[in-house]
Amino acid sequence: MNSTMKVERFLSLPVLGVLSVMLFLYYTTIFILLDDWVGLRTSPGTLNSFFFTLFASLSLFSFFICVLTDPGHVPPSFYPDVESTNAKDDAEQNKCDKCFGYKPPRTHHCRVCRKCVLKMDHHCLWINNCVGYWNYKAFFDFIVYATLASVYSTVVFISCVLQKEWGHIKESSLKFFYVMYGTMVVGLTLTLLSLTGWHVYLILHNMTTIEYYEGNRAKWLAAKSGQSYRHPYNNGAYKNITLILGPTMLKWLCPTAVSHLKDGVSFPTIRDNS
């Protein structure tokens, strides 16, 4: 992908909206709420400013990585490893009817990007990009840091509200601003907490969002025939984490630490461990 195409990804209303919300949240938290609560020139003010700026900066950096990183597309030379007749039949069934090429395991066609995406999780409107094999870690780190920043802003907001003497404040515009900001930041925090919790669950089970819904259908079909179904890529919680976030715990929240990722066309399964 050339530099022009990368820049064009930011020329999207949802992406610009995310950047605007992040800027508004940062300015309001630091220069209005925190300054009003403890003062920016005090030791508590400096310390709180540092930590909130750290979370906000890491969130912004991870967001940029999400937007700019190609999620991963099928190599033109890819051909499934087939030896038996049944395997050949399976390979033919796993051809994309839109790209007309073979799809590796866990690959899905994105109707928005018009390409097959390796280990596709979903197409995200807010990053104007697919979330797939190569940028899933950056996406997860982004929502983690965004959640931390949002929770931090909520705590600062509540602390500021509690120390104010509202009986002596007659300006209705100031009260309206606090109500609006409180509604926004609390709603954002709850949304991000839910989203982070969802992806923690997916990582622990080594699933994508698509595979979760496919798995539910597979369980239902298996139950109808008196069988059981288990997600084939679930290798145990810790192993799943290391496969997605990396073997080094200190690098789990570093969006650019992806040296542990392979080619995105083959994945260890339960059978490999048995």
Side-chain angles (χ1 to χ4, degrees), residues 106 108 206-216 231 233:
R106 315 183 80 177
H108 295 273
N206 197 2
M207 281 185 186
T208 64
T209 300
I210 293 173
E211 288 169 350
Y212 172 80
Y213 291 107
E214 287 181 341
N216 281 347
H231 182 55
Y233 302 105

Side-chain angles (χ1 to χ4, degrees), residues 53-63 141-142 145-146 253 255:
T53 300
L54 177 65
F55 293 142
S57 300
L58 289 169
S59 176
L60 183 63
F61 176 67
S62 300
F63 179 73
D141 288 348
F142 163 60
Y145 288 128
L253 293 179

Side-chain angles (χ1 to χ4, degrees), residues 7 21 46 62 66 69 105 112 122 125 131 162 181 194 231-232 256 260:
V7 172
V21 169
T46 302
S62 300
C66 281
T69 302
V112 181
H122 67 289
L125 181 73
V131 177
L162 292 178
Y181 184 79
S194 301
H231 182 55
T256 55
H260 61 286

Side-chain angles (χ1 to χ4, degrees), residues 120-141:
M120 181 179 173
D121 187 87
H122 67 289
H123 183 90
C124 183
L125 181 73
W126 304 107
I127 65 171
N128 195 22
N129 197 6
C130 265
V131 177
Y133 187 69
W134 286 104
N135 66 347
Y136 180 82
K137 182 181 179 181
F139 175 79
F140 177 73
D141 288 348

